[in-house]
Amino acid sequence: MAKLLTFFCLVLLLFCNTMVLAEGGGKTLDIAAPWDAKTTDPHVNGAIAQRMGVTETLVDINDEALISPGLATSWDVSGDQKTWTFHLRDGVKFHDGTPFTAQAMKKSLEDSLKKSQTFSSVPIQEIQAVDDKTLKIVLKSSFPSLPAYMAKGESAALSEASIDQGDISIPYSTGPFKFSSYTPKEKYVGVKNPDYWGKIPSVDEVVYHVVPEAETRSMMLKGGDVQIAQILSPDITEGYKSSGSFTINTEPISRDRILSYNCESGPFADTAVRKAMNYAINRQDLINYVLEGVGESATSLFPPTFYWGNKDIKAYPYDPEKAKSMLAEAGWKDSNNDGILDKDGKKFSITLVTYPERAELPQMAEIIQDELKKIGIDVQVKSVDIDTSETLKNSGDFDMYLGGRSLMNAPDPDWILMADYHSSGTFNNGYGPYHWKSEKLDSLLGEARSLTDQAARKKIYDQVQEIINDEAPVSVLSYYVNQDVTSNSVKGYRMHPTEFAFHLEDVSLS
Amino acid sequence: MRTYILFRVLQTIPVLIGISFVVFALLLYSPGDPAVINLRAIMNTEHPPEEAVAAMRIEMNLDKPWYIQYWSWLARVSTGDLGYSYQSRRSTVEEVGNAFPVTFLLSTLAMFFSCIVAIPLGILSGMRQNSCIDHITRAVSIIGLSIPDFFIGIIGIMVFAVYLNWVPVAGYEGFEYLILPAIALAVGMCAITIRLMRTSMAEVLEEDYIRTAKSKGISQRLVVQRHALKNAIIPVITYMGTQYGWLFGGSMIIESLFAIPGLGRLFVESASTRDIMVLQGCVLVFALVFVFLNLGVDILQYILDPRVRQEYE
């Protein structure tokens, strides 16, 4: 037995030794995050390559979540709003040394259109390389959010040699980091691109570790295995508050928690009842009791800190008495004194469907259930898996649906408003209200598509948000807030409100 | 012996048929249309056209009764075609094939750690019943049994990875990344093995043939080595064989906690993303591991235990 134990100890020491020997070399920045890149082909799934600074796109997204120049320094649109001209940046080289030209970008975008579902709703007719530095995209119809789509990771600029690979295993793009390796479900590695056209990174290598468990990401940070742990829950970050060795970074992101109503049948077909819900739910309670205070109570669909948010919309205050009187005006009274409101012999008994894949949602549903009970509404919470919840919602087999919704999958309001609030969206499978139609909203969204002037579009989208707020086909409850923790050796790290980029070229390690 | 092995192999056939039904039922009753899922992978679009879905349903026999679907599925699976991952667009065989060796290594290492600690301690405890070492061993095994493996994992990370910095916290970049998770997995198994080994050894030491050996003046060490151990270890081997299967399946939480890209994590991820074909592949592998382990244990028992041999000869 003693021999066995000695053997075991020796093996253990050998492993530890190997591990120590493996360390060293240039400056490596390690990040732990929950999502996997899934593929090396950015035209299939481009988010991680883009965030890591490996790929770049024609259009960038700045820290105010607005589109800004990327590989295209400027762009303009023809009078009929159908031809977009992108003027490409000079002096840019792909990672394989070939120059970045309009011809290469054309080939790249055509590959992306073929492979990615991202552009299925974009009416692209033709892509033309006018000269080395001018690219034209001809549309079948006006589509003002085209530049926003050109910012998505799937529209990454890749060299012609990359495209010739078919299924791209080595993407040669133009970013501050070159693709080094990808191991599914483990890590994505980039190395410094010394020929980058912009700011040359100070770290030599960046390693993105795929770690789905938040607690494990936190332990990796504490153990020194990584310097940045992304998306930690408030209860985890709480433990870092008293530590002087780490920095907690907090950033509201473009994602809402939304309560959608079945506007076709049941009590929520009545606008007054939907509006009453906005007074009956205490949004701050949901944040305090479920999110430990980390989150922001919502007013309009887009957070007011974003350009597209309507800053004039006043939040519905928590006022259960007003909610009660509005319901009474709408004919809902407790005629048999059983504590539940009724109308025309029907009780105000409803189902609230939600899913546990976002852990906070079922807990929030229970608080909503409790708050609505106080004003005489009987709520049955159905927390089912996300697929089942979507099936229930899309078939109208629900009264209220609580879910999370990303707002800036393309950094332009057109994307989510057309999909979720235009009647062509609400009468299909979707994430907005169910069977709700506003002719005014439909015409405003149509009008916004005919304009390219941002300020004019903003005015329209402000009106659209007012309509959504007034008619309450959904109640926007809160905005998501992400928390990343970095070790104090990391300098220059900043979080992005749309999660499009990590800006690792700005990060240095001390 | 050949007859026995043949008999046991034949016995596994109904079990394998049962497994195939369960795995097929996953495809049939999981949310989501398999034709749509398949087309998403092939056409690379979230919403494949309705005509394509209709054609794929015919191609996949989804328009046929379940038993015809089952046969066509079985025919496909028997040729090694387990379909595609909806998430990664790689073949299920490739996905499972990449994850299997990691889990195999992790479970084997856990088994190894468990054996080298539990068997000697169990023997010692059985030989010296009610001694101080016996009481300590029993107390330790009860504690080991009552603490869940993920908790041991978290404590292990905090002590050995975060504070002592002996081993890495999580991820998988080499063998050393498996030490801590393997220990976490091994603790529960180790606790049961100690108790089993102790009881088995204590029982064997009470047997007449041991008393005879002792009366001949053979030292206790030799009695244990030459006579008691061989008989006492048979129930332990049987238990460890099946327990290895549980280690394999039980790796789900530990692999997720330690971010190890093994079969357990693949199972959890494919379940959460409704990656049905990968899920099927994982369940199939877990089930096959159990079946073949049981078969292996039975054959080993046949070799080691004359009573089993007598029964079949």
Side-chain angles (χ1 to χ4, degrees):
Chain A
M1 189 176 131
K3 278 181 190 169
L4 268 177
L5 277 174
T6 317
F7 172 71
F8 168 64
C9 291
L10 279 174
V11 170
L12 193 70
L13 276 172
L14 187 70
F15 287 151
C16 297
N17 192 36
T18 317
M19 194 194 71
V20 173
L21 285 176
E23 288 176 0
K27 269 190 181 176
T28 300
L29 176 71
D30 291 273
I31 304 163
W35 323 114
D36 185 18
K38 289 176 187 161
T39 168
T40 47
D41 191 338
H43 288 166
V44 174
N45 197 328
I48 302 298
Q50 186 181 35
R51 288 175 193 181
M52 289 289 283
V54 168
T55 56
E56 288 186 311
T57 47
L58 284 179
V59 176
D60 204 356
I61 300 159
N62 65 19
D63 292 341
E64 281 76 49
L66 290 172
I67 52 171
S68 59
L71 289 175
T73 49
S74 63
W75 47 89
D76 42 71
V77 63
S78 63
D80 66 354
Q81 316 283 325
K82 287 186 185 171
T83 304
W84 287 80
T85 307
F86 291 86
H87 305 283
L88 308 191
R89 195 175 288 279
D90 262 329
V92 178
K93 271 186 186 173
F94 285 112
H95 296 151
D96 59 3
T98 55
F100 167 67
T101 60
Q103 181 54 39
M105 192 66 220
K106 169 182 152 62
K107 191 169 175 175
S108 201
L109 280 176
E110 282 170 350
D111 182 64
S112 186
L113 291 180
K114 208 166 53 187
K115 288 176 179 170
S116 169
Q117 47 164 303
T118 308
F119 303 99
S120 56
S121 61
V122 185
I124 294 177
Q125 186 175 299
E126 195 189 358
I127 301 168
Q128 300 165 358
V130 180
D131 57 41
D132 260 9
K133 294 294 159 209
T134 314
L135 184 86
K136 266 191 186 168
I137 299 179
V138 182
L139 303 177
K140 292 173 199 154
S141 57
S142 165
F143 193 75
S145 48
L146 180 80
Y149 279 80
M150 290 299 120
K152 285 187 68 71
E154 286 74 25
S155 65
L158 298 178
S159 75
E160 298 196 58
S162 309
I163 311 300
D164 292 340
Q165 295 170 42
D167 283 338
I168 299 165
S169 54
I170 307 173
Y172 298 110
S173 189
T174 61
F177 292 94
K178 295 180 187 181
F179 172 81
S180 171
S181 67
Y182 165 64
T183 318
K185 296 182 172 65
E186 282 179 51
K187 58 182 180 176
Y188 192 101
V189 185
V191 291
K192 177 158 88 175
N193 172 15
D195 300 322
Y196 183 53
W197 59 268
K199 184 180 177 183
I200 310 280
S202 85
V203 291
D204 300 300
E205 188 183 49
V206 283
V207 185
Y208 175 95
H209 300 267
V210 185
V211 187
E213 287 285 319
E215 191 68 58
T216 310
R217 294 198 290 279
S218 169
M219 299 261 202
M220 288 176 86
L221 180 70
K222 283 182 182 163
D225 288 19
V226 299
Q227 291 83 43
I228 300 172
Q230 296 193 321
I231 314 180
L232 300 181
S233 57
D235 55 316
I236 295 176
T237 53
E238 185 74 23
Y240 286 93
K241 279 186 180 158
S242 56
S243 167
S245 315
F246 299 96
T247 308
I248 303 171
N249 305 270
T250 302
E251 179 70 42
I253 58 161
S254 55
R255 184 181 280 277
D256 288 345
R257 292 182 189 87
I258 293 180
L259 200 55
S260 306
Y261 300 106
N262 182 340
C263 304
E264 185 187 45
S265 58
F268 299 118
D270 183 349
T271 307
V273 175
R274 297 196 302 264
K275 287 185 85 160
M277 293 304 105
N278 274 318
Y279 290 105
I281 296 165
N282 188 341
R283 290 164 165 81
Q284 199 54 47
D285 270 2
L286 301 177
I287 294 165
N288 291 345
Y289 297 131
V290 182
L291 304 173
E292 313 223 356
V294 181
E296 273 186 47
S297 183
T299 47
S300 68
L301 186 68
F302 296 100
T305 49
F306 281 42
Y307 173 78
W308 298 107
N310 185 336
K311 292 159 188 72
D312 297 330
I313 291 181
K314 295 276 176 289
Y316 281 97
Y318 175 54
D319 190 348
E321 290 309 316
K322 186 169 171 72
K324 272 187 197 171
S325 67
M326 284 179 80
L327 289 172
E329 274 174 40
W332 290 96
K333 287 177 182 126
D334 184 7
S335 53
N336 58 1
N337 285 324
D338 65 349
I340 308 293
L341 301 174
D342 51 79
K343 182 181 174 181
D344 303 331
K346 275 194 173 176
K347 283 191 175 185
F348 203 141
S349 290
I350 53 166
T351 53
L352 193 170
V353 173
T354 191
Y355 50 89
E357 277 77 359
R358 287 197 173 269
E360 76 279 6
L361 295 180
Q363 295 175 49
M364 287 188 166
E366 282 172 19
I367 294 179
I368 292 168
Q369 179 187 40
D370 191 49
E371 285 176 341
L372 294 188
K373 194 179 175 187
K374 286 178 193 161
I375 61 164
I377 298 174
D378 171 39
V379 180
Q380 191 205 343
V381 174
K382 267 191 194 173
S383 178
V384 290
D385 66 85
I386 190 161
D387 277 356
T388 310
S389 79
E390 282 177 12
T391 307
L392 288 172
K393 181 164 188 288
N394 292 333
S395 59
D397 194 3
F398 77 108
D399 297 297
M400 298 165 113
Y401 181 85
L402 177 63
R405 184 66 168 139
S406 176
L407 304 169
M408 292 274 172
N409 275 3
D412 190 278
D414 178 84
W415 174 78
I416 189 167
L417 291 171
M418 284 302 290
D420 288 6
Y421 298 95
H422 191 277
S423 57
S424 62
T426 60
F427 281 81
N428 281 317
N429 293 352
Y431 295 95
Y434 181 79
H435 286 201
W436 174 75
K437 182 179 170 74
S438 160
E439 279 170 10
K440 193 173 175 201
L441 183 136
D442 280 3
S443 97
L444 282 169
L445 289 180
E447 192 187 336
R449 278 208 162 176
S450 66
L451 301 169
T452 46
D453 178 58
Q454 292 292 70
R457 293 179 72 222
K458 160 90 170 115
K459 273 188 188 166
I460 290 179
Y461 290 132
D462 276 354
Q463 281 185 64
V464 167
Q465 287 176 78
E466 267 170 37
I467 293 171
I468 293 172
N469 196 54
D470 289 345
E471 295 202 20
V474 297
S475 293
V476 191
L477 301 178
S478 63
Y479 306 124
Y480 275 81
V481 170
N482 268 1
Q483 286 196 311
D484 292 356
V485 179
T486 55
S487 90
N488 280 354
S489 62
V490 174
K491 306 282 177 231
Y493 178 70
R494 62 188 206 272
M495 295 167 76
H496 199 274
T498 64
E499 302 175 274
F500 265 68
F502 294 161
H503 293 299
L504 299 179
E505 66 279 11
D506 294 336
V507 174
S508 62
L509 284 171
S510 58
Chain B
M1 187 169 157
R2 269 188 204 160
T3 324
Y4 176 74
I5 293 175
L6 192 69
F7 173 69
R8 281 294 290 110
V9 169
L10 287 175
Q11 268 188 332
T12 60
I13 291 173
V15 180
L16 290 174
I17 292 170
I19 291 167
S20 71
F21 270 117
V22 172
V23 175
F24 173 72
L26 272 175
L27 185 75
L28 214 58
Y29 293 108
S30 296
D33 184 343
V36 175
I37 292 170
N38 211 356
L39 275 172
R40 278 175 183 156
I42 295 166
M43 296 179 72
N44 202 5
T45 171
E46 189 69 19
H47 304 292
E50 277 177 29
E51 312 82 65
V53 174
M56 181 53 81
R57 289 185 68 80
I58 293 168
E59 197 185 317
M60 289 175 76
N61 291 317
L62 294 171
D63 56 331
K64 308 258 171 29
W66 70 267
Y67 46 88
I68 295 178
Q69 286 187 46
Y70 171 70
W71 277 116
S72 65
W73 173 81
L74 204 60
R76 198 162 54 82
V77 169
S78 60
T79 62
D81 180 5
L82 287 170
Y84 288 87
S85 163
Y86 163 51
Q87 288 294 317
S88 69
R89 293 161 210 273
R90 282 188 293 271
S91 82
T92 298
V93 173
E94 194 186 336
E95 288 273 351
V96 173
N98 287 339
F100 181 85
V102 182
T103 304
F104 176 73
L105 212 58
L106 176 66
S107 308
T108 309
L109 198 61
M111 184 85 169
F112 171 71
F113 287 154
S114 175
C115 283
I116 59 167
V117 175
I119 293 178
L121 276 181
I123 293 171
L124 209 63
S125 196
M127 283 164 64
R128 297 179 193 169
Q129 286 178 64
N130 299 319
S131 66
C132 184
I133 191 157
D134 184 31
H135 289 309
I136 295 171
T137 310
R138 282 162 71 187
V140 167
S141 70
I142 287 170
I143 295 168
L145 202 61
S146 359
I147 307 175
D149 54 7
F150 70 87
F151 186 72
I152 294 168
I154 291 172
I155 298 290
I157 292 176
M158 282 170 69
V159 176
F160 298 107
V162 176
Y163 294 107
L164 296 173
N165 229 339
W166 286 0
V167 281
V169 176
Y172 181 61
E173 288 173 40
F175 206 56
E176 69 272 13
Y177 283 78
L178 296 180
I179 295 172
L180 212 51
I183 291 172
L185 260 182
V187 170
M189 183 182 178
C190 187
I192 304 176
T193 313
I194 288 175
R195 288 162 69 93
L196 200 66
M197 189 71 234
R198 177 193 177 274
T199 315
S200 181
M201 180 54 78
E203 274 174 13
V204 170
L205 287 177
E206 293 294 313
E207 295 284 337
D208 288 343
Y209 69 93
I210 298 290
R211 211 167 294 135
T212 312
K214 278 183 186 169
S215 66
K216 283 181 181 173
I218 305 172
S219 70
Q220 180 155 8
R221 191 179 158 184
L222 278 178
V223 168
V224 169
Q225 268 181 5
R226 288 189 187 166
H227 301 282
L229 192 58
K230 198 177 167 189
N231 286 336
I233 210 157
I234 291 171
V236 179
I237 287 177
T238 313
Y239 162 76
M240 288 179 91
T242 48
Q243 198 62 21
Y244 186 75
W246 285 113
L247 277 182
F248 222 86
S251 59
M252 288 168 204
I253 296 169
I254 287 295
E255 284 182 6
S256 297
L257 178 70
F258 284 90
I260 296 169
L263 213 54
R265 190 173 143 199
L266 185 67
F267 177 85
V268 172
E269 280 178 7
S270 55
S272 65
T273 54
R274 301 291 176 279
D275 207 343
I276 301 167
M277 293 178 190
V278 178
L279 196 66
Q280 277 184 321
C282 292
V283 174
L284 197 65
V285 171
F286 284 135
L288 289 179
V289 165
F290 261 97
V291 168
F292 288 113
L293 270 175
N294 273 317
L295 184 66
V297 166
D298 284 356
I299 292 169
L300 199 64
Q301 216 173 11
Y302 179 89
I303 296 165
L304 291 176
D305 195 342
R307 286 167 300 184
V308 179
R309 279 204 296 274
Q310 261 176 5
E311 201 180 315
Y312 286 93
E313 277 170 5

